[in-house]
Amino acid sequence: MEVAQNHVTALISGTDTLFILLGAVMVFAMHAGFAFLEVGTVRHKNQVNALVKIMSDFGVSALVYFFFGYWFAYGVTFFDSAAVLAENNGYELVKFFFLMTFAAAIPAIISGGVAERARFNPMLIAAGLCVGFVYPFFEGLIWNANYGFQDWLASNFGAVFHDFAGSIVVHAVGGWIAFAAVIVLGSRHGRYRGGKVVAFAPSNIPLLALGAWILSVGWFGFNVMSAQTIEGISGLVAMNSLMAMVGGILSSLVLGRKDPGFIHNGPLAGLVAVCAGSDIMHPIGALVTGLVAGGVFVWLFTFVQNKFPRFDDVLGVWPLHGVCGLWGGIAAGIFGLENLGGLGGVTFASQLIGSLTGVIIAVVGGFVIYNVVNSISPLRMTEDEEFNGADLTVHKIGATNLNNN
């Protein structure tokens, strides 16, 4: 009997490891989505830079998170022997891989906001600082209950802050750090002329669409596999992710007037918003969450472009990740309530306070990091470098080398 039990335990452990590994691979693949979404949006002279930034940011993020960020958030290091690390089929190692892909999404989000005018090396340093300090501080606060914040919410407002897959921990934090970075860098040269905004059209709609599709598919690993074990997997998370995505598509289709940029970002807005409550909402609540998120993205992106042209967020990552992520954290405290068809276990007050706390930490941390880095090594390219484009300025090659025989 004991031998059979050991075999069952080993099977469960191995299955859980494989499950979360597949999730890590799917979220890792989403970084290709970030890359192609940016490549398709920026002008042709900045396409190579977009690709190189996402890959480089991932490498820096993995290194910083391995040696510091994960320890900061969870109190876990990887300095034991390989034999110790490989216990239980190496589940803890694969869990790190999974959560590291979340951490690496932070600079990938920021990259889209500051595209086309940022210097390469200073931005890499800033990305490492964000992944090493700002992100793991809030991640540990929420997902590891560090510093008593969750206990305080539960005792004073009836429940802990619930963020199942990172509407606030990942997306809002990334989006609001990007908000700070965009302000510190300023707008691109030539975008504001004679008191009017000069629109820079996306360079490649098919690549933009490819990025959106890759992100949308990978998101089901992002959300569903946030359960982290086979036992915790829920079809409700998959259904709610689908319905929120559909809601984002439909509202961006109507409000965006068939604009391909809006339509392909609409599903992402819905998916950002549903992350927090995807495990507790009713599917109709998830649909409404996505409808609102898609509408908020279209309206806010358009409003900011027209009214605040100096705030030059190239891909709209602040409204998409920052504001829709904030809405998602709050929406979990609405549509997760039992009297609105949800599973309960949340309160509106805790969701509101937890969401705003994430925003404050991200904004303050973002301004500190980008101002400090900028004071040491300027973040902006010169006007001539920006005119020539980051591809030639930084990488000495264009996206299409017409002289290559």
Side-chain angles (χ1 to χ4, degrees):
M1 186 68 178
E2 183 178 351
V3 173
Q5 182 62 43
N6 289 339
H7 282 302
V8 171
T9 301
L11 179 61
I12 293 174
S13 175
T15 304
D16 285 342
T17 301
L18 178 60
F19 173 74
I20 197 171
L21 174 61
L22 292 174
V25 171
M26 289 183 72
V27 182
F28 177 37
M30 289 175 70
H31 288 263
F34 282 119
F36 284 113
L37 189 68
E38 185 172 336
V39 168
T41 304
V42 299
R43 288 169 290 178
H44 190 268
K45 62 184 178 181
N46 296 297
Q47 289 182 328
V48 171
N49 182 249
L51 291 170
V52 176
K53 278 194 304 177
I54 300 298
M55 183 67 80
S56 302
D57 282 339
F58 188 90
V60 169
S61 298
L63 192 66
V64 170
Y65 197 66
F66 179 83
F67 283 107
F68 185 76
Y70 195 69
W71 165 75
F72 190 14
Y74 299 101
V76 176
T77 63
F78 299 100
F79 299 109
D80 292 319
S81 68
V84 173
L85 295 176
E87 289 178 356
N88 297 319
N89 301 101
Y91 176 83
E92 290 299 325
L93 298 178
V94 177
K95 179 181 177 180
F96 160 80
F97 180 16
F98 182 66
L99 292 174
M100 182 275 292
T101 60
F102 280 46
I106 300 299
I109 291 168
I110 299 167
S111 175
V114 300
E116 299 202 306
R117 75 273 202 193
R119 293 177 63 219
F120 192 80
N121 290 334
M123 291 302 295
L124 271 183
I125 293 169
L129 293 172
C130 290
V131 174
F133 291 95
V134 181
Y135 174 75
F137 174 75
F138 189 68
E139 177 189 18
L141 200 71
I142 302 306
W143 285 344
N144 200 45
N146 293 347
Y147 312 114
F149 179 70
Q150 291 282 39
D151 293 336
W152 176 78
L153 286 175
S155 62
N156 288 279
F157 301 100
V160 300
F161 174 66
H162 186 88
D163 191 359
F164 179 70
S167 285
I168 300 296
V169 173
V170 179
H171 297 287
V173 167
W176 285 93
I177 293 176
F179 174 84
V182 168
I183 291 176
V184 172
L185 266 80
S187 62
R188 289 166 289 177
H189 291 293
R191 183 174 178 270
Y192 189 69
R193 299 175 191 167
K196 295 183 180 180
V197 177
V198 177
F200 296 146
S203 61
N204 193 311
I205 295 298
L207 288 180
L208 183 158
L210 175 63
W213 275 106
I214 293 172
L215 285 167
S216 297
V217 172
W219 224 294
F220 288 85
F222 197 101
N223 282 4
V224 174
M225 292 172 177
S226 285
Q228 299 186 18
T229 63
I230 286 290
E231 184 180 5
I233 193 170
S234 171
L236 181 64
V237 176
M239 174 60 82
N240 284 342
S241 300
L242 175 64
M243 296 306 289
M245 182 182 73
V246 169
I249 293 171
L250 295 178
S251 58
S252 63
L253 172 65
V254 174
L255 297 177
R257 301 179 181 180
K258 306 183 188 68
D259 182 283
F262 286 139
I263 291 171
H264 286 94
N265 277 283
L268 308 183
L271 287 163
V272 163
V274 82
C275 287
S278 57
D279 61 326
I280 57 173
M281 290 180 178
H282 187 280
I284 296 176
L287 176 63
V288 174
T289 298
L291 284 167
V292 171
V296 164
F297 171 72
V298 173
W299 176 81
L300 189 55
F301 183 85
T302 304
F303 179 79
V304 170
Q305 290 283 320
N306 292 331
K307 300 296 183 180
F308 300 96
R310 301 293 185 185
F311 183 79
D312 189 6
D313 180 357
V314 179
L315 268 68
V317 299
W318 172 64
L320 180 66
H321 296 274
V323 179
C324 290
L326 176 60
W327 157 241
I330 295 170
I334 301 173
F335 299 110
L337 299 173
E338 290 185 34
N339 57 5
L340 287 178
L343 298 183
V346 292
T347 65
F348 178 79
S350 290
Q351 291 304 118
L352 178 62
I353 293 169
S355 298
L356 292 177
T357 300
V359 170
I360 292 169
I361 290 171
V363 170
V364 173
F367 272 117
V368 169
I369 286 173
Y370 283 95
N371 274 305
V372 169
V373 173
N374 192 45
S375 67
I376 298 171
S377 179
L379 295 170
R380 282 293 299 262
M381 292 190 293
T382 67
E383 187 171 356
D384 286 343
E385 289 173 338
E386 188 179 326
F387 177 81
N388 292 328
D391 292 359
L392 295 180
T393 297
V394 179
H395 310 289
K396 313 304 179 186
I397 190 170
T400 305
N401 188 359
L402 299 178
N403 294 323
N404 186 4
N405 297 319

